[in-house]
Amino acid sequence: MAGAKEIRNQIKSIGSTRKITKAMEMVAASKMRRAQERMQAARPYAEKMRQVVSHMSEANLEYRHPYLSPREEIKSVGFIVVSSDRGLCGGLNVNVFRKAVNAMSEWHDKGVDVKLVTIGKKASAYFSRFNVQIAGEASGLGDAPHLEVLVGAIKVIMDAYIEGEVDRLFIVSNNFVNTMTQAPDVEQLIPITPTTEESEHQHWDYIYEPESREIIDLLMDRYVESLIYQRVAENSACEQAARMVAMKAATDNAGKLIDDLQLVYNKARQASITQELSEIVGGAAAV
């Protein structure tokens, strides 16, 4: 059994760790509320963009954007993987990486090339170990991600689709279900397919002013950017929620470990006192 002094040092060390994890839990809880507000603010715009573009995919357009035209032969696909810049958030990043690897493996088994864009330092570090072409990277998003940081990486993969280097584009990220649940998901961004049930029963058409080509080109770019930003904002909320839960579990485990060590310390101290008393009694008897 370890000595009383060693156990005291262990208790002190774990107590310091518990203070840190408790502070990180409180910080994550505060950041999560702000991240949820950004996520909820981004959702209506992204959903409306998705609805309008879905309608356009079935409309009789004078000019049909490449994003609206599925390609029969798939030679190459692109994946945008969204992760966090920092760790200590449980299995959040591992789950989304596993989802992305499984999806990419399915295409690779079909003989289709895979190109990758990573968002977040964790994704960049993870996929740099694989034999996969990383076309673009974006990191340093901070607690409040801005579209300006993402535009460069997004444009690389969007231009690759326009030029025919990529035939389909997917995004892999976490969906915020609730504080305890974050679900990784794969969504096809391009080519755009109808997503609303009402499109099956209605015919959609639009009047453009001044020119349909200019408006549609701009709309398609804003569509992809808005969906990616919404996914990044949602992943940020998932990150803070996962970190809060992970730090709470770490704090609770530290408390349990301190209780166990305190019990061991009390037993060691009691044994030491008993031994000292025995020595005193033995010495008195010898006299």
Side-chain angles (χ1 to χ4, degrees):
M1 181 181 292
K5 184 178 179 180
E6 295 175 352
I7 297 174
R8 272 202 314 270
N9 290 338
Q10 285 183 336
I11 292 174
K12 185 177 179 180
S13 176
I14 296 171
S16 299
T17 302
R18 183 172 63 170
K19 290 179 181 179
I20 295 172
T21 56
K22 182 63 177 179
M24 293 181 68
E25 176 192 345
M26 296 174 67
V27 170
S30 176
K31 290 182 178 180
M32 183 187 69
R33 286 190 289 270
R34 293 194 291 269
Q36 282 182 298
E37 291 173 359
R38 286 189 294 269
M39 175 191 70
Q40 291 167 355
R43 274 180 176 178
Y45 180 80
E47 289 299 325
K48 192 63 179 178
M49 286 289 290
R50 184 183 283 107
Q51 183 183 40
V52 170
V53 172
S54 176
H55 293 168
M56 290 180 61
S57 67
E58 292 195 333
N60 296 322
L61 303 177
E62 299 175 1
Y63 162 67
R64 195 159 187 86
H65 194 276
Y67 292 175
L68 300 174
S69 302
R71 295 168 183 169
E72 295 182 1
E73 186 178 1
I74 308 299
K75 298 180 180 178
S76 177
V77 296
F79 282 86
I80 300 174
V81 181
V82 182
S83 72
S84 65
D85 283 327
R86 293 172 293 178
L88 297 177
C89 49
L92 183 79
N93 290 320
V94 173
N95 292 335
V96 80
F97 295 159
R98 185 181 296 114
K99 192 82 172 180
V101 169
N102 290 339
M104 288 188 287
S105 297
E106 291 179 2
W107 286 104
H108 188 268
D109 293 341
K110 297 177 183 178
V112 177
D113 292 333
V114 175
K115 290 183 174 62
L116 184 65
V117 169
T118 61
I119 297 177
K121 291 181 180 178
K122 292 298 180 181
S124 178
Y126 181 82
F127 286 101
S128 62
R129 299 176 296 174
F130 289 82
N131 185 23
V132 60
Q133 181 180 351
I134 299 179
E137 300 178 12
S139 60
L141 305 179
D143 297 324
H146 296 282
L147 187 59
E148 291 79 4
V149 183
L150 305 171
V151 166
I154 294 173
K155 183 170 174 54
V156 168
I157 200 69
M158 291 167 65
D159 290 346
Y161 184 88
I162 295 293
E163 295 168 4
E165 297 176 5
V166 171
D167 300 309
R168 286 189 187 177
L169 179 61
F170 301 88
I171 185 167
V172 190
S173 67
N174 286 289
N175 285 331
F176 187 91
V177 180
N178 52 52
T179 304
M180 300 298 296
T181 306
Q182 299 84 39
D185 181 48
V186 180
E187 180 181 3
Q188 179 175 311
L189 287 178
I190 308 172
I192 298 162
T193 56
T195 58
T196 57
E197 296 180 358
E198 58 186 5
S199 63
E200 299 178 0
H201 309 289
Q202 298 187 28
H203 174 74
W204 299 93
D205 209 346
Y206 296 90
I207 299 175
Y208 303 94
E209 180 66 33
E211 294 292 336
S212 62
R213 185 186 186 99
E214 180 180 352
I215 294 173
I216 292 174
D217 284 345
L218 182 62
L219 179 65
M220 292 302 165
D221 289 342
R222 296 295 84 78
Y223 160 77
V224 175
E225 291 173 0
S226 67
L227 260 63
I228 293 176
Y229 175 79
Q230 189 261 332
R231 284 300 194 108
V232 171
E234 194 147 342
N235 196 79
S236 178
C238 292
E239 176 190 354
Q240 300 303 336
R243 181 170 292 116
M244 183 189 71
V245 172
M247 291 302 100
K248 184 180 187 308
T251 303
D252 294 343
N253 290 336
K256 293 177 182 177
L257 188 55
I258 288 174
D259 291 340
D260 293 341
L261 286 174
Q262 190 67 50
L263 182 60
V264 174
Y265 171 76
N266 291 339
K267 289 181 178 179
R269 185 166 175 269
Q270 184 179 11
S272 177
I273 293 172
T274 302
Q275 183 178 359
E276 290 177 2
L277 288 174
S278 299
E279 291 175 355
I280 293 172
V281 172
V287 172

mmCIF file of all heavy atoms in Angstrom, residues 64-83:
data_model
loop_
_atom_site.group_PDB
_atom_site.id
_atom_site.type_symbol
_atom_site.label_atom_id
_atom_site.label_comp_id
_atom_site.label_asym_id
_atom_site.label_seq_id
_atom_site.Cartn_x
_atom_site.Cartn_y
_atom_site.Cartn_z
ATOM 1 N N ARG A 64 -29.512 26.343 -67.548
ATOM 2 C CA ARG A 64 -29.422 25.298 -66.522
ATOM 3 C C ARG A 64 -28.005 25.239 -65.981
ATOM 4 O O ARG A 64 -27.066 24.884 -66.701
ATOM 5 C CB ARG A 64 -29.854 23.951 -67.075
ATOM 6 C CG ARG A 64 -30.138 22.917 -65.975
ATOM 7 C CD ARG A 64 -31.022 21.802 -66.470
ATOM 8 N NE ARG A 64 -31.412 20.918 -65.374
ATOM 9 C CZ ARG A 64 -32.448 21.128 -64.584
ATOM 10 N NH1 ARG A 64 -33.188 22.214 -64.747
ATOM 11 N NH2 ARG A 64 -32.745 20.275 -63.607
ATOM 12 N N HIS A 65 -27.875 25.549 -64.721
ATOM 13 C CA HIS A 65 -26.557 25.590 -64.077
ATOM 14 C C HIS A 65 -26.000 24.172 -63.942
ATOM 15 O O HIS A 65 -26.755 23.210 -63.774
ATOM 16 C CB HIS A 65 -26.699 26.244 -62.691
ATOM 17 C CG HIS A 65 -25.399 26.641 -62.083
ATOM 18 N ND1 HIS A 65 -24.604 25.763 -61.379
ATOM 19 C CD2 HIS A 65 -24.751 27.835 -62.076
ATOM 20 C CE1 HIS A 65 -23.522 26.389 -60.965
ATOM 21 N NE2 HIS A 65 -23.583 27.651 -61.363
ATOM 22 N N PRO A 66 -24.662 24.032 -64.008
ATOM 23 C CA PRO A 66 -24.060 22.683 -63.852
ATOM 24 C C PRO A 66 -24.432 21.995 -62.540
ATOM 25 O O PRO A 66 -24.475 20.755 -62.488
ATOM 26 C CB PRO A 66 -22.553 22.977 -63.903
ATOM 27 C CG PRO A 66 -22.441 24.230 -64.715
ATOM 28 C CD PRO A 66 -23.666 25.034 -64.402
ATOM 29 N N TYR A 67 -24.721 22.757 -61.491
ATOM 30 C CA TYR A 67 -25.096 22.149 -60.219
ATOM 31 C C TYR A 67 -26.440 21.427 -60.299
ATOM 32 O O TYR A 67 -26.749 20.599 -59.451
ATOM 33 C CB TYR A 67 -25.198 23.213 -59.121
ATOM 34 C CG TYR A 67 -23.886 23.846 -58.714
ATOM 35 C CD1 TYR A 67 -23.858 24.890 -57.798
ATOM 36 C CD2 TYR A 67 -22.679 23.399 -59.241
ATOM 37 C CE1 TYR A 67 -22.659 25.483 -57.422
ATOM 38 C CE2 TYR A 67 -21.482 23.982 -58.880
ATOM 39 C CZ TYR A 67 -21.481 25.027 -57.969
ATOM 40 O OH TYR A 67 -20.294 25.601 -57.590
ATOM 41 N N LEU A 68 -27.237 21.769 -61.320
ATOM 42 C CA LEU A 68 -28.577 21.198 -61.444
ATOM 43 C C LEU A 68 -28.615 19.987 -62.378
ATOM 44 O O LEU A 68 -29.664 19.373 -62.547
ATOM 45 C CB LEU A 68 -29.553 22.260 -61.959
ATOM 46 C CG LEU A 68 -29.719 23.506 -61.081
ATOM 47 C CD1 LEU A 68 -30.595 24.532 -61.791
ATOM 48 C CD2 LEU A 68 -30.324 23.139 -59.740
ATOM 49 N N SER A 69 -27.489 19.657 -62.987
ATOM 50 C CA SER A 69 -27.461 18.598 -64.004
ATOM 51 C C SER A 69 -26.626 17.408 -63.515
ATOM 52 O O SER A 69 -25.386 17.489 -63.498
ATOM 53 C CB SER A 69 -26.872 19.129 -65.314
ATOM 54 O OG SER A 69 -27.631 20.244 -65.773
ATOM 55 N N PRO A 70 -27.282 16.328 -63.095
ATOM 56 C CA PRO A 70 -26.540 15.135 -62.653
ATOM 57 C C PRO A 70 -25.731 14.545 -63.812
ATOM 58 O O PRO A 70 -26.149 14.586 -64.976
ATOM 59 C CB PRO A 70 -27.646 14.175 -62.208
ATOM 60 C CG PRO A 70 -28.847 15.036 -61.986
ATOM 61 C CD PRO A 70 -28.735 16.172 -62.946
ATOM 62 N N ARG A 71 -24.580 14.004 -63.503
ATOM 63 C CA ARG A 71 -23.722 13.389 -64.502
ATOM 64 C C ARG A 71 -23.886 11.879 -64.445
ATOM 65 O O ARG A 71 -23.872 11.282 -63.363
ATOM 66 C CB ARG A 71 -22.265 13.794 -64.258
ATOM 67 C CG ARG A 71 -22.060 15.292 -64.463
ATOM 68 C CD ARG A 71 -20.723 15.775 -63.957
ATOM 69 N NE ARG A 71 -20.608 17.221 -64.105
ATOM 70 C CZ ARG A 71 -19.639 17.949 -63.564
ATOM 71 N NH1 ARG A 71 -18.695 17.355 -62.828
ATOM 72 N NH2 ARG A 71 -19.612 19.258 -63.744
ATOM 73 N N GLU A 72 -24.043 11.282 -65.597
ATOM 74 C CA GLU A 72 -24.312 9.845 -65.661
ATOM 75 C C GLU A 72 -23.111 9.024 -65.190
ATOM 76 O O GLU A 72 -23.247 8.061 -64.445
ATOM 77 C CB GLU A 72 -24.689 9.461 -67.093
ATOM 78 C CG GLU A 72 -26.005 10.093 -67.554
ATOM 79 C CD GLU A 72 -26.376 9.652 -68.949
ATOM 80 O OE1 GLU A 72 -25.611 8.848 -69.538
ATOM 81 O OE2 GLU A 72 -27.427 10.093 -69.443
ATOM 82 N N GLU A 73 -21.925 9.403 -65.630
ATOM 83 C CA GLU A 73 -20.722 8.657 -65.276
ATOM 84 C C GLU A 73 -20.007 9.359 -64.122
ATOM 85 O O GLU A 73 -19.671 10.538 -64.219
ATOM 86 C CB GLU A 73 -19.791 8.543 -66.483
ATOM 87 C CG GLU A 73 -18.590 7.646 -66.221
ATOM 88 C CD GLU A 73 -17.713 7.509 -67.458
ATOM 89 O OE1 GLU A 73 -18.036 8.129 -68.486
ATOM 90 O OE2 GLU A 73 -16.695 6.788 -67.379
ATOM 91 N N ILE A 74 -19.786 8.636 -63.041
ATOM 92 C CA ILE A 74 -19.125 9.194 -61.866
ATOM 93 C C ILE A 74 -17.683 8.710 -61.845
ATOM 94 O O ILE A 74 -17.406 7.525 -61.616
ATOM 95 C CB ILE A 74 -19.845 8.779 -60.562
ATOM 96 C CG1 ILE A 74 -21.346 9.104 -60.636
ATOM 97 C CG2 ILE A 74 -19.204 9.470 -59.362
ATOM 98 C CD1 ILE A 74 -21.656 10.571 -60.812
ATOM 99 N N LYS A 75 -16.744 9.618 -62.108
ATOM 100 C CA LYS A 75 -15.324 9.285 -62.096
ATOM 101 C C LYS A 75 -14.628 9.744 -60.824
ATOM 102 O O LYS A 75 -13.639 9.163 -60.412
ATOM 103 C CB LYS A 75 -14.631 9.908 -63.311
ATOM 104 C CG LYS A 75 -15.150 9.400 -64.645
ATOM 105 C CD LYS A 75 -14.409 10.069 -65.788
ATOM 106 C CE LYS A 75 -14.905 9.571 -67.136
ATOM 107 N NZ LYS A 75 -14.213 10.253 -68.261
ATOM 108 N N SER A 76 -15.149 10.824 -60.242
ATOM 109 C CA SER A 76 -14.507 11.376 -59.053
ATOM 110 C C SER A 76 -15.565 12.034 -58.177
ATOM 111 O O SER A 76 -16.517 12.642 -58.688
ATOM 112 C CB SER A 76 -13.437 12.398 -59.445
ATOM 113 O OG SER A 76 -12.856 12.985 -58.301
ATOM 114 N N VAL A 77 -15.424 11.905 -56.875
ATOM 115 C CA VAL A 77 -16.344 12.537 -55.929
ATOM 116 C C VAL A 77 -15.537 13.364 -54.930
ATOM 117 O O VAL A 77 -14.359 13.087 -54.676
ATOM 118 C CB VAL A 77 -17.204 11.501 -55.175
ATOM 119 C CG1 VAL A 77 -18.103 10.746 -56.124
ATOM 120 C CG2 VAL A 77 -16.327 10.542 -54.375
ATOM 121 N N GLY A 78 -16.183 14.370 -54.383
ATOM 122 C CA GLY A 78 -15.542 15.224 -53.392
ATOM 123 C C GLY A 78 -16.270 15.143 -52.060
ATOM 124 O O GLY A 78 -17.497 14.997 -52.023
ATOM 125 N N PHE A 79 -15.515 15.234 -50.996
ATOM 126 C CA PHE A 79 -16.080 15.228 -49.654
ATOM 127 C C PHE A 79 -15.562 16.444 -48.883
ATOM 128 O O PHE A 79 -14.359 16.732 -48.919
ATOM 129 C CB PHE A 79 -15.702 13.951 -48.890
ATOM 130 C CG PHE A 79 -16.497 12.743 -49.276
ATOM 131 C CD1 PHE A 79 -16.109 11.951 -50.346
ATOM 132 C CD2 PHE A 79 -17.645 12.401 -48.581
ATOM 133 C CE1 PHE A 79 -16.832 10.832 -50.718
ATOM 134 C CE2 PHE A 79 -18.384 11.283 -48.936
ATOM 135 C CZ PHE A 79 -17.988 10.495 -50.005
ATOM 136 N N ILE A 80 -16.465 17.131 -48.224
ATOM 137 C CA ILE A 80 -16.102 18.189 -47.287
ATOM 138 C C ILE A 80 -16.355 17.636 -45.894
ATOM 139 O O ILE A 80 -17.489 17.305 -45.558
ATOM 140 C CB ILE A 80 -16.931 19.465 -47.519
ATOM 141 C CG1 ILE A 80 -16.710 19.993 -48.940
ATOM 142 C CG2 ILE A 80 -16.575 20.539 -46.492
ATOM 143 C CD1 ILE A 80 -17.612 21.180 -49.294
ATOM 144 N N VAL A 81 -15.308 17.507 -45.097
ATOM 145 C CA VAL A 81 -15.410 16.937 -43.752
ATOM 146 C C VAL A 81 -15.246 18.065 -42.739
ATOM 147 O O VAL A 81 -14.227 18.760 -42.739
ATOM 148 C CB VAL A 81 -14.364 15.843 -43.512
ATOM 149 C CG1 VAL A 81 -14.529 15.253 -42.117
ATOM 150 C CG2 VAL A 81 -14.497 14.742 -44.563
ATOM 151 N N VAL A 82 -16.244 18.232 -41.899
ATOM 152 C CA VAL A 82 -16.243 19.312 -40.912
ATOM 153 C C VAL A 82 -15.899 18.738 -39.541
ATOM 154 O O VAL A 82 -16.544 17.783 -39.083
ATOM 155 C CB VAL A 82 -17.619 20.013 -40.856
ATOM 156 C CG1 VAL A 82 -17.595 21.173 -39.856
ATOM 157 C CG2 VAL A 82 -18.020 20.511 -42.241
ATOM 158 N N SER A 83 -14.896 19.308 -38.902
ATOM 159 C CA SER A 83 -14.496 18.874 -37.565
ATOM 160 C C SER A 83 -14.228 20.108 -36.709
ATOM 161 O O SER A 83 -14.427 21.244 -37.142
ATOM 162 C CB SER A 83 -13.240 17.999 -37.639
ATOM 163 O OG SER A 83 -12.108 18.790 -37.964
#
